Each structure stands twice: as C-alpha cells, then as structure tokens.
Amino acid sequence: MGKKIKKEAEPPPKDVFDPLTIESKKAQTVVLMLNSTEEEILAKACEAIYKFALKGEENKATLLELGAMEPLTKLLKHEDKIVRRNATMIFGILASNNDVKKVLRELDILSSIIAQLAPEEEVVIHEFASLCLANMSVEYTSKVQIFEYGGMEPLVRLLGSPDPDVKKNSIECLYNLVQDYHCRLAIQDLSAIPPIMELLKSEFPIIQLLALKTLEVVTNDRESRLIFRDSQGPEQILKILETKEFTDLHAEALNVIANCLEDVDTTVHIQQGGGLKKLLTFTENAVFPEIQKSATKAISRAAYDPENRKVLHDQEVEKCLITLLGAENDGTKVAAAKVISAMSENMQSKEYFNTEGIPQIVQLLKNENDDVKEAASEALANLTTANSINANAAAEAEAIEPLINMLGSSRDNNIANAATVLTNMATQESLRLMIQNHDFMRAIIQPLNNSNHMVQSKAALTVAAIACDTDARTEFKNANGLIRLVELLHSNNEEVRRNASWAVMVCASDEPIAVELCKLGALDILQEINTSLKRKNNFSEAAYNRLLHNNLSLKYCMNGYLSSIDIISDIFYDAGRLSPGTKLLSLKEFALQEPSDRRAIILINSKISTPLVTSPTEEKPESTGPPSISSKSFIKEKGSRKGKGKKEEEKKEEEEIQPTKVELVAEKEWCPPTDQEFLNYISEVSKTVLPITDLMEQIEALAKFVSGKMGGPVSQELMHEFKWEHHLSEVQYKLKSNVVPIGCIKKGTFYHRALLFKALADKVGIGATLIRGEYNRAWNEVKLIDERNRGITGLLPPPEKFIVDLMYEPGSLMKIKSREAEHYRFL
C-alpha cells in the first residue's frame, strides 16, 4: 500500500468575510452596533449596554444622549429571542430614569413591552418587562397607556408567577395603576383581589407590603370591600396584626381594616367573627406609638357611621378610648379624641362620658401640642352640645379657664371649638356667671376681630349666649365689643351676619346699650339688610325691632308710631320727625346745644337727679326757672349759683376754696333735669285715675286731666287764638335750652297732649298708642269693647279702635273711620 498523502484544507469561499473579533471600550461604538443585522452582534451589544446601564444614572443619561433608545425599541420586536430578551432587560433598567421615561413615552414602546408579558415568554423577559412597566406607571400618562393597551390583565396573571421578582414588579405596577379610578374598577372585573391576597402569604416582606398597599387603595371602593370581605380578607389582615413578626406590616394592615370599617355590613361581619374585639385589644395594648395611632385612626373611620357607632358602643369602645387619652404619644391622643368626637353623636356614648372621659379631655386642653388641644376641644364641643350634664362635668373639671385661654390661640379651629363649648355651657345660668367671672367679655374681643368667618360666627354666637344680663352687656360695651359687633353686620357671610344680628339683639335688651348701638350705625345697617331678600334673616329683623323697642325715642322719630306695648320710660324725648339719612342726636347733645328757634325737644323724665359730688360749703341755689323744674341745672356746676344775700366776705372765702380734680369732673357731668311737675302728674293720676275700674271712664278721666294741664279745651274756631308756640318759646328762653320737660308746658297742642296722655297712660296701665300726623298733629288710639253691641247670644263683640279727643271735647272717643276722627287727625 502506498503512503497516505495528507489532504489539504479547502480555502473559504471568496464571497465570505473572514470572522473578525473587535474589542470596543466606548459606548458610542456599541450603540452603533445596535443597527447591525447580525443577531450575535446585536445580542452581545445589548448585553454590553445592559451592564453599562446597571452602573448608574449617569450611564443611563449617556445612552440617552447617544441615541440608543430608538434602535433598542426596534429590537423589542426582533425575531431572535436572545436579542429580544436582552433589549427588554435594558428597558427594565433604563425606565427608572425620568429623562428616559419621557423619551420612551414619545417612542410609544409600552405596547411592545406589554407584549413581552405573554405566557410563552421566558421568566427573565417577564421580570424585566414588568420592571419597565412598574417604573413607567409612576406617571399618569403611562398609567393611561398601560390601561388602554390592556396591560392590567397580564399583570394580574403574573401575580401567580413562580418567580418572586416577577410577582414584586407586577404588584408594584398594579399598585401604581390603581391610584386611578378606572384602573380600580378594572381590578374588580379582572377578579384581581384574591390573587393579591395570596401575596400576603409570601415569604418576602416587600411583596406583602406592596400587596397591603394595593388592597388599601382598592378597598376604598365599596364593591371591592365586599369582594375582599367575601374572600375572608379581614380575617387575613387580623392574623397579620396578631403576628408579632409582622410588626413592619401592621400600619398598612390597619389602613386596610380602616377602609373595611367604613362599611356597616363589613363592620358587623368583623364583629361577628370576634375581629372588632381583637382590634380594640390590639389598639389598647399596642407597643409601638405609631401603630397605636394608626389603630385608633382605624376605629375612627368606623365611628363616622351611625350604625357603626352602635356596633362600637356594644363593644364598649369608650373604655378603650379613655385609656388611649392617657397614651404617651400625642398622635394617639389626637386620634382617640377624634373618635370620641364622632362617638358623641351616639346618645348612649355621650352619656357614658358623663362620669368618665371628660376630666381627661379637659386635661388635654392644657397640652402644649396644638393638635392635641384642637382634637380635645372638638371632642368637648361635641360632648357638651345639647347636654347640660356634660357641660356641668366640663365645668367641674375646671375647663372654663383653659377654654377662655384658648380664645387667644393662633389656630382658628381651637378658637372656634373653645367658643362652642362656652356657648354650650352658657345655657345654664350658674355656668354663665362662672364664665363671666373669668373676664370672658375681654377675651372674646380677639376672636371677633379674627378674619376667619367660622371664628367670627362662633364668637358672635358666644356673645349672644353669655350677654344675658346687664352686667355682662355692660362689660362687653366697656371692652369696645359693640364696635366690632356692628362691623360684623356688614359681613357677606350669611352665618356671621346671622349670629352678629343675634348678638346685637341680645345686647340691645338694655336701653343705654341700644342707644349706643344706634349711634354706631347698627340700626341703619340692619335696616339695609332687611330690605334685601337674600341678606336678611330672622335675627336681623328681631335685632332691628329690639333696637327700636329699647330706644323708643328713636322709634318714634323714625316711624312716628308707638304701640300700646311700647311703654314710655324715663329719659324719653320727642325730637320730631327724623329726616331720611339723618341721625338722631342724644338728649345730652341736644341739651348742650345753644338755644335756638328750632322745634323744642320734649322730655319725659320722672327720675330725680342728684349731684355726684357735694360740698359742705355749698348752699342750695335759688331757682330761676319754671316751678316744675328741679333747681339743679342741666349741667351740674357745683357752687355756680350763690344765694342773693351772701356777704362779700363769704364770697371771698368761697373764691379761695380750690375745687379738687374729682369735683371738676363732677362740674362737667351732665344729667337730665328732674321734671317735678310731671312727678306730680303721676302722683295725681295714680290717686284719681288708677282706682277707676271702668276702662272707658279711666280714659275719659285721664283725657280731661291731660287737657286741663295743657291749657284746657280749645274749640276749633278759636285754635288760631291758642298761642302755644309763643308759650313754648318763653319756656325755652327761661330754661336757656332746646330741651323742655313736658311738665313745663302749660299750653300744649295736639302732639304735646298726645305725648303726655301716652306717658301717663303707660304709668296707670291703659293701653294706648301714640301716632304722629302732619302739621303738629298727633293722637292716641285705644281699644274698647262696646257692650251696647252685645249680640243675641250674649257674646261680646271684638274690640274696636277709638281716637281719644284731648283738644276739642276732652274725653270723648271717636271711631277710627268716623268723620270726626278724620277731622281730628288731618284738618
């Protein structure tokens, strides 16, 4: 056999490129390789870019600048699985960068990423595709795209993946998606709640945590809560709470339970399984303050429903809450107080706190933490509303002082709550007096000046509740509270305006304060309010009427009418008809004016004026005025008049006496003159008219008395000879004042006689009106029953109105619609 000859290797074909191994150290070169058509090069380039991107955010930004996104996007649809897998892995990493996210949205890659979640794809592809979606789903636009491209269904399916990373990424993406309402509804349609609940059993805490967070959001919807309940969800959550090893999950678990407790049926379901009792025990005994606070908040969610409150009361939640008020953590105290606020809507719970709980809440009013004070004051406000026993309990626990201190708080809710509690207390006179003794009227001024409408409203209401006696109203006036109260009448807020009107009505119960309120413009403002259908309210009308009722001088000047229940008291004066847009001066202002030829101001006053300061050297001055006037002048000037027979030596000695500072003040102190003549009139009618039992005879006797004091009867034909104007001018001149006490008038016309008749009728109990007419006319109307018109049945007819003649035939009565009455009033 011949020797074997070695066969030479065949040379490669001429049209094939010899293999080339390239080692690149620049990312730019590798990015260029992404455009290659060779699968092996693409796979290796993607692998290199993946490793480069893993190294940090700067590298991700570099790849973005090099334009790697667009060629990578194309590779997501590549036929080769390895290329497609590597490209998906890159996007999973890159999508955490915000700038990359923006570019990816523009490139619209989400549909391609969602396609990678198909069941037949590898687990690695599932992992990084779901990671990319989890990163992208943080932003709203991407949420919408994932939802519209049908991404939720494969994500829910992947919750059952054997790979924990796939589970984690899928549940994280779903958690981001369910922040949107439409995605939450889709969770129900996809039956996603049971697989989410399965994740609670995971051995990985992060997966459990994300599952709880997702359930927390999902169970905000009632339908989802029902599915969760029917899937034994509450029981699973309570097991987590009972497991000490799961402490890091307790806060989120409690949030899920809190949502469930908003639903009455779910609450009952939890209670029937003993879960509610377990929750209360857990709350009371929780070791970690934050967990205890979260548990208390969970209970508070249930307490806002009336039916749930009944369930909680049956579980004796009040005992647990009282314990929580003493917790060290302020957040727990706040949460417990808020639950008490809600539970106070239940009458049985409210009564439970009568003896327990209120003292602890009052102590919290003194806490330095404003949140604690706010929650405590809100709880106390709710507990004392329409409950006098709780209001008493709060007072006994010494709540008044910290509440009044709280009126100066910088937090509006604290002020409003404190004002509410004080208002609730003020329904009892004994507590109201206690509040007054703590200088309340000065403390309430600051809340009235607050810019917050709620605070203004509550403060005004508190004033209305506490200013129920003269002392309180005087204190409020002295604290300059009336000024701010009148300003609040201008408020555009309906409740502020209403409560300010209420407070004005209460304060106007005293005549001096009613006069002061009118000076401040309250009457004009209320009149304007009452002309508006939108702005007026019951209290604005009542306040207006009260102001006029307690300022009859102004009422008569404005309206020209006083009813039979408008009882004229001392210091009433008639200044004539008040022109629109003008204000009525006070009596003092009229008295201090220089005498003029203007219409006299007619004064009704039976008070006896006495000097504020007396001097042993002062002699009784000699009267120079009409006999009906007290010898004291309108302006008390001690020692201003001396006896005519005083010796020169005594005058010199008098001049040497220097008045003290107090005496100088007294010299300038004004007080209205005493009308001795009017006092005599009252005494006389009390003896002659008052004893008469027949009303008609009383009226007749009083009319004749008034006419006799005012110049007697005057016939119509001789009215022009009745010189009442001249007489009145003489009186004004003698008094050196425009103010004329009615007892000084000896010749009076219609309006003088009608005023005197009304003033005396009010003293002896005869119901009479006072009506002003034109041309110095005024008259009185009375109601009488004419027994002569008794019917066949013997029943008395209804009373009729009559005008009392005080001028022509004093004592005669004229029916309102009679010719004589018309003549008396208008001619």
Side-chain angles (χ1 to χ4, degrees), residues 3 13 74 105 120 197 309 342 438 479 490 511 526 528 542 587 645 648 661 672 681 746 791 820:
K3 188 178 180 182
K74 296 175 182 177
R105 282 199 304 274
E120 62 272 13
M197 288 171 55
R309 286 195 286 269
H438 282 79
H490 284 294
E511 186 173 341
L526 289 167
E528 181 186 345
L587 183 62
E648 291 295 322
K661 185 176 180 181
Y681 293 169
K746 301 306 176 184
E820 295 85 353

Side-chain angles (χ1 to χ4, degrees), residues 11-73:
K14 293 180 180 181
D15 59 344
V16 175
F17 190 82
D18 293 338
L20 178 66
T21 301
I22 298 176
E23 183 178 334
S24 176
K25 293 186 178 181
K26 291 188 177 182
Q28 185 175 5
T29 304
V30 180
V31 169
L32 291 173
M33 293 169 65
L34 293 175
N35 294 309
S36 172
T37 57
E38 294 186 49
E39 295 168 355
E40 188 177 353
I41 291 175
L42 290 174
K44 289 184 177 180
C46 286
E47 186 178 350
I49 290 174
Y50 170 74
K51 292 177 181 178
F52 180 72
L54 273 177
K55 292 179 180 179
E57 294 297 314
E58 291 183 3
N59 291 355
K60 295 174 185 177
T62 300
L63 291 171
L64 182 62
E65 291 174 4
L66 294 174
M69 300 304 113
E70 190 170 350
L72 282 171
T73 302

Side-chain angles (χ1 to χ4, degrees), residues 290-307:
E290 288 300 318
I291 299 300
Q292 192 174 53
K293 180 177 74 173
S294 298
T296 311
K297 285 183 177 180
I299 297 170
S300 72
R301 296 281 287 276
Y304 288 108
D305 183 90
E307 294 301 318

Side-chain angles (χ1 to χ4, degrees), residues 172 247 295 303 369 483 553 616 658 667 724 758 772:
E172 184 175 1
T247 303
N369 187 309
I483 298 172
S553 301
Q658 297 296 323
E667 288 173 5
W724 64 271
K758 168 67 173 168
R772 190 194 305 280

Side-chain angles (χ1 to χ4, degrees), residues 610-627:
T610 56
L612 296 180
V613 177
T614 59
S615 171
T617 61
E618 182 180 356
E619 293 187 6
K620 182 178 179 180
E622 186 177 299
S623 174
T624 58

Side-chain angles (χ1 to χ4, degrees), residues 276-303:
L276 200 53
K277 194 70 177 176
K278 291 179 182 177
L279 178 61
L280 294 176
T281 303
F282 172 85
T283 305
E284 196 169 342
N285 300 321
V287 177
F288 299 100
E290 288 300 318
I291 299 300
Q292 192 174 53
K293 180 177 74 173
S294 298
T296 311
K297 285 183 177 180
I299 297 170
S300 72
R301 296 281 287 276

